[in-house]
Amino acid sequence: MFQTLKNARRRTVETVLETVGAAEKTIDNEFEVYSENFYDMMEDMNECGAAVTAVLLNQKTFIKDAVELTKCLNRIYVKNNNPEHWPGVENHLQYTEAAARYEAALTLIDEAYRSSSAKVSGEIALTPLRSAVTAMGPSVENIIKERGELVKDYDSYQRRLKVSQEKKRQAQGKPSEAEATAEVTKNEGKVQKSKELYEASNDKCKREIESSRRAHDTLIDTQLLTLLVCQARLFSLASQRLEEIITLLPKQKVDQVKDRVDQYIRQGGAKAQVEEKSTLSVGFDVLMGKAYVSDLKKPTEEELAEEEKKKQEDLERAAAIVKEDENKKKNSVATPIPPQNRPAPPPAPSSYAKSNPSPPSVPSAPSSAPPVPSSGPKWKTPSTTPSAPPAPPSAPSAPPPVPQSAPRGPPPPPIIPKAPPKPKEQLVVALYDHEIDTSDELPFRRGEKIIVLDSSDAGWWKGKHSVTGAIGIFPVNYVKPDDT
């Protein structure tokens, strides 16, 4: 115990002297680079985890919103195909089968493709990354802290050795020379021992940081591969289902929409205002495949007039197609649909579904995040400083003196101080259903209450379900404070 106090005081003194520039500090430039890169690496992993979490949440929200859209469209088609819905009015909707299959396809994409992709992304990419950050950070930090204490010991003993050597020089030929020589010998031994401890700790730090770097590289490679494959698989399967439905629609109209999209793609994307580019800029776009060689020259007035004429012809052709479709529909005799081929009406939405809005999207890049998410969950070294106990209640003040003329009654009962109230648990109530994608998340339904256990992160809190007792993390923007 006594030696621990001595070490703490010696290191504190050395820190103060180094701060004011009164003592030299041992610096290993290679270690400084290692240490700086380690903390930068941990920050990158935190941001990556927060970004993956945001992508999975936003992707789930986007596809679920798309499912709601398809349900709405299909409901309109089914309702308008019912003769009793609008008696005596002809129904002009043409894509009833496509609407029904569109809803079924998006439901499949959400429930099978998206959820499976998110599950694999969480198991192989996100969860190992979170675990590595949580374990790796505090472990290496403790080793760096130990190394810092040993380097202070080494610097302190070196400073003491210089002082004792100066005293020995001044004591030459005097009675105190032997004592000064013994002090130098003693300090030389301490310097040698502290140097060995410092160098061993310094090498250990470098090895641990190098090991962390290797683990980091493996994790990041796994992140890239897993997310890329999962996203490609999700988009590929979704595209196949949607392309099958597109074959039910008029090819000419489909091609017109595709051509319009491709036109914007060739321009580099849709822009609110297209600025005129210089010849050099257009030439660079040609090299990058974003423009054609014909774009290098400005169109003449004749070419502009020809382009305008072509646009007008396209519009007239489209109007003629629409008119032809309408005439065919008027002249055709409606054939009743057999009962077994009629699309089933959509299920009546429950009161819960109506009152359960889609959850909001989570913002991208967790800053240190948090950010992450920002900012995915960051590791934190738990504080070892105990919190101060509550102040004891003050003693009741003495009663005022009773006047001499007043009769003295029995003394008042003693005032018993009340015990301080227990801290109230922080309760939150769910705004939306939370379907988990990884095993460390907490599932709940809208309206259920959660006891908050840890609210230190800006994007994800840790909580305990008030009914089931399950513990896990959940997105902050899915809950609100419980006012009851």
Side-chain angles (χ1 to χ4, degrees):
M1 179 66 180
F2 179 71
Q3 184 62 38
T4 302
L5 293 175
K6 282 183 64 178
N7 292 340
R9 189 177 70 172
R10 179 177 63 253
R11 291 161 185 166
T12 302
V13 170
E14 195 64 27
T15 300
V16 172
L17 293 175
E18 290 175 357
T19 302
V20 299
E24 296 181 0
K25 180 180 180 181
T26 300
I27 297 177
D28 180 353
N29 291 327
E30 185 181 37
F31 169 78
E32 297 300 327
V33 173
Y34 273 48
S35 177
E36 181 180 353
N37 288 337
F38 169 75
Y39 286 109
D40 184 61
M41 178 179 69
M42 298 305 298
E43 186 66 25
D44 288 343
M45 293 171 71
N46 273 319
E47 290 184 6
C48 185
V52 172
T53 303
V55 166
L56 296 180
L57 284 175
N58 289 336
Q59 193 166 265
K60 178 167 70 173
T61 301
F62 163 71
I63 295 181
K64 287 188 177 297
D65 287 345
V67 171
E68 291 302 317
L69 171 62
T70 61
K71 288 180 179 179
C72 177
L73 289 170
N74 190 34
R75 187 165 59 248
I76 294 173
Y77 275 88
V78 172
K79 184 169 56 178
N80 282 270
N81 278 322
N82 183 1
E84 298 178 358
H85 172 67
W86 203 333
V89 178
E90 186 179 4
N91 176 27
H92 293 277
L93 293 175
Q94 304 175 43
Y95 309 137
T96 301
E97 182 182 357
R101 291 182 61 177
Y102 190 20
E103 178 185 347
L106 259 295
T107 303
L108 176 66
I109 290 169
D110 178 44
E111 296 179 353
Y113 304 162
R114 194 248 353 133
S115 63
S116 301
S117 171
K119 184 71 172 176
V120 174
S121 298
E123 290 176 347
I124 301 180
L126 186 57
T127 300
L129 181 67
R130 286 176 176 171
S131 301
V133 171
T134 303
M136 187 188 303
S139 174
V140 177
E141 268 199 339
N142 289 335
I143 297 174
I144 293 176
K145 181 180 178 182
E146 178 186 354
R147 183 247 182 213
E149 293 175 348
L150 293 176
V151 76
K152 282 184 172 58
D153 290 344
Y154 178 49
D155 291 341
S156 176
Y157 287 131
Q158 284 191 103
R159 181 171 51 81
R160 291 186 181 186
L161 176 59
K162 290 180 181 179
V163 172
S164 62
Q165 288 173 340
E166 178 61 22
K167 288 182 179 180
K168 177 183 177 182
R169 187 184 65 79
Q170 295 177 357
Q172 286 182 356
K174 297 180 181 179
S176 59
E177 182 178 1
E179 182 181 352
T181 302
E183 182 70 18
V184 169
T185 303
K186 176 182 175 182
N187 286 332
E188 286 176 344
K190 290 183 176 182
V191 167
Q192 182 61 30
K193 183 178 179 181
S194 63
K195 180 181 180 182
E196 293 172 356
L197 293 174
Y198 152 67
E199 289 179 345
S201 178
N202 198 46
D203 292 340
K204 181 181 179 181
C205 274
K206 293 178 184 178
R207 290 195 304 271
E208 288 296 327
I209 293 176
E210 287 176 353
S211 176
S212 300
R213 169 60 191 272
R214 288 191 294 271
H216 159 274
D217 293 352
T218 301
L219 284 167
I220 295 301
D221 280 345
T222 304
Q223 291 276 307
L224 176 64
L225 185 148
T226 304
L227 295 173
L228 185 57
V229 172
C230 287
Q231 295 292 303
R233 190 62 178 157
L234 169 62
F235 296 150
S236 174
L237 292 173
S239 176
Q240 291 176 22
R241 301 288 81 78
L242 297 178
E243 288 289 346
E244 291 172 359
I245 303 171
I246 290 176
T247 59
L248 302 175
L249 305 175
K251 185 176 185 306
Q252 188 171 10
K253 294 181 179 180
V254 170
D255 290 341
Q256 287 178 356
V257 176
K258 287 183 177 180
D259 290 342
R260 188 70 179 272
V261 174
D262 292 342
Q263 179 182 355
Y264 280 111
I265 292 175
R266 288 194 297 268
Q267 294 176 0
K271 297 179 176 60
Q273 182 178 2
V274 180
E275 298 179 356
E276 185 176 356
K277 294 185 176 182
S278 65
T279 304
L280 180 61
S281 177
V282 175
F284 182 78
D285 286 349
V286 171
L287 292 175
M288 299 299 295
K290 296 182 179 180
Y292 296 106
V293 178
S294 59
D295 295 335
L296 286 170
K297 63 177 183 177
K298 292 184 179 181
T300 62
E301 292 182 0
E302 291 79 11
E303 290 174 339
L304 290 174
E306 183 66 21
E307 184 179 354
E308 186 65 26
K309 181 181 177 181
K310 184 178 179 182
K311 288 182 181 178
Q312 188 63 31
E313 290 175 354
D314 290 340
L315 291 175
E316 292 174 356
R317 191 180 302 109
I321 292 172
V322 172
K323 187 175 180 180
E324 182 181 358
D325 290 343
E326 291 176 352
N327 291 335
K328 286 181 179 179
K329 187 170 184 180
K330 289 179 181 180
N331 297 330
S332 61
V333 179
T335 304
I337 303 175
Q340 63 270 22
N341 294 336
R342 291 177 185 171
S350 63
S351 58
Y352 173 78
K354 290 181 180 179
S355 60
N356 185 22
S358 299
S361 61
V362 178
S364 61
S367 61
S368 19
V372 61
S374 176
S375 148
K378 296 188 177 182
W379 50 266
K380 291 187 174 72
T381 306
S383 173
T384 57
T385 305
S387 58
S394 58
S397 59
V402 181
Q404 294 294 333
S405 59
R408 296 180 180 272
I415 299 175
I416 301 175
K418 295 182 179 180
K422 294 183 179 180
K424 187 178 180 181
E425 291 180 333
Q426 183 182 357
L427 278 176
V428 293
V429 61
L431 291 170
Y432 316 98
D433 296 350
H434 181 222
E435 301 175 6
I436 65 173
D437 290 322
T438 58
S439 58
D440 59 347
E441 297 181 26
L442 176 65
F444 50 74
R445 309 292 291 178
R446 182 174 183 267
E448 294 179 344
K449 295 182 180 181
I450 299 98
I451 303 170
V452 178
L453 302 179
D454 183 1
S455 59
S456 57
D457 190 79
W460 287 80
W461 288 358
K462 185 177 182 180
K464 178 181 178 181
H465 199 288
S466 61
V467 177
T468 65
I471 296 177
I473 61 174
F474 58 90
V476 178
N477 58 346
Y478 272 47
V479 299
K480 69 173 183 177
D482 181 26
D483 300 329
T484 59

